[in-house]
Amino acid sequence: MKLLLHTCCAPCSVYCIDNLRKEGIEPTIYWYNPNIHPYTEYKARRDTLKEYTEMIEIKAIFEEEYGLKEFCKSVIGNLETRCEDYCYKVRLEQTAKHAKEHRYDTISTTLLISPYQKHEILKKQGEEIAKKYGLNFLYKDFRIGFREGQTKARELGLYMQKYCGCVFSEEDRYYDRILKDKEKYCNINQ
């Protein structure tokens, strides 16, 4: 198996890479994440992944495309389904294109480690996109190792992001605080 592993960030890759290596699979890491914003966040995640892949001596490919404008144009129609309508598809599609062009036979993604992602949708889209390019999609439910991977990432001193990646997911992160502030400050003005 020649696996191209789409990778969203270093912390999410830790357990995935360790698990695959234990199974005798040496993936190539593939960074393509035009959905991560703002640029400071994109850069922090990319640079941390570069450092980590060098540290563990694994082949990594970094495809630079900070895509705020394209992201906004693509998701503005329906923010509630942005993950499945844009974020998953655009990254899996580009991973498959690169895999096909460079003679990989299998793709997968570290998004499969997150308990916050929609696994059934990721699996379905991954299989469909892989099939379109004549590839295999390796579905592994890495969620069992989520905490273990996060703990190891912290021990290694890797940058630990606080939200999925897009500006709307960061807003979701603060949703309760936003409501409390709104209530607090609206009551002050009355």
Side-chain angles (χ1 to χ4, degrees), residues 1-4 99 103-107 134-137:
M1 172 187 309
K2 190 174 178 189
L3 173 64
L4 188 62
R103 296 192 169 101
Y104 289 86
D105 57 27
T106 306
I107 63 168
L135 303 167
N136 299 309
F137 181 72

Side-chain angles (χ1 to χ4, degrees), residues 35 68-83 85-87 166-168:
N35 63 305
L68 180 58
K69 289 178 185 175
E70 188 59 38
F71 168 77
C72 289
K73 284 191 284 185
S74 298
V75 302
I76 199 66
N78 194 345
L79 296 177
E80 300 307 313
T81 61
R82 67 187 180 271
C83 300
D85 291 347
Y86 180 77
C87 295
C166 81
V167 293
F168 302 108

Side-chain angles (χ1 to χ4, degrees), residues 112-143:
L112 295 170
I113 197 165
S114 175
Y116 308 107
Q117 300 301 331
K118 301 167 184 168
H119 275 245
E120 290 309 311
I121 293 170
L122 272 168
K123 182 179 183 210
K124 183 176 187 274
Q125 287 184 359
E127 289 170 349
E128 289 171 355
I129 291 169
K131 184 177 180 181
K132 175 179 167 184
Y133 288 89
L135 303 167
N136 299 309
F137 181 72
L138 179 63
Y139 175 77
K140 291 184 115 346
D141 190 347
F142 290 119
R143 289 176 288 192

Side-chain angles (χ1 to χ4, degrees), residues 4-9 29-36 42 45-46 49 60-67 70-71 74 86-98 108-111:
L4 188 62
L5 181 65
H6 166 265
T7 306
C8 57
C9 63
I29 301 308
Y30 185 67
W31 166 268
Y32 179 78
N33 294 289
N35 63 305
I36 297 174
Y42 175 92
R45 293 183 193 200
R46 181 202 60 211
L49 182 62
I61 298 161
F62 292 85
E63 191 143 341
E64 292 299 317
E65 188 176 323
Y66 177 73
E70 188 59 38
F71 168 77
S74 298
Y86 180 77
C87 295
Y88 297 163
K89 282 183 182 176
V90 74
R91 295 185 285 175
L92 289 170
E93 183 89 26
Q94 187 60 33
T95 303
K97 284 179 187 175
H98 187 89
S108 193
T109 179
T110 59
L111 293 169

Side-chain angles (χ1 to χ4, degrees), residues 36-43 66 163 165 167 170:
I36 297 174
H37 308 289
Y39 184 71
T40 52
E41 183 70 21
Y42 175 92
K43 184 180 181 325
Y66 177 73
Y163 62 100
V167 293
E170 184 178 25

Side-chain angles (χ1 to χ4, degrees), residues 18 27 33 39 42 50 57 68 82 84 102 119-120 140 159 164 183 185 187:
D18 287 351
N33 294 289
Y39 184 71
Y42 175 92
K50 280 185 179 181
E57 298 179 351
L68 180 58
R82 67 187 180 271
E84 56 264 36
H102 296 89
H119 275 245
E120 290 309 311
K140 291 184 115 346
Y159 168 71
C164 181
E183 186 177 296
Y185 291 107
N187 289 336

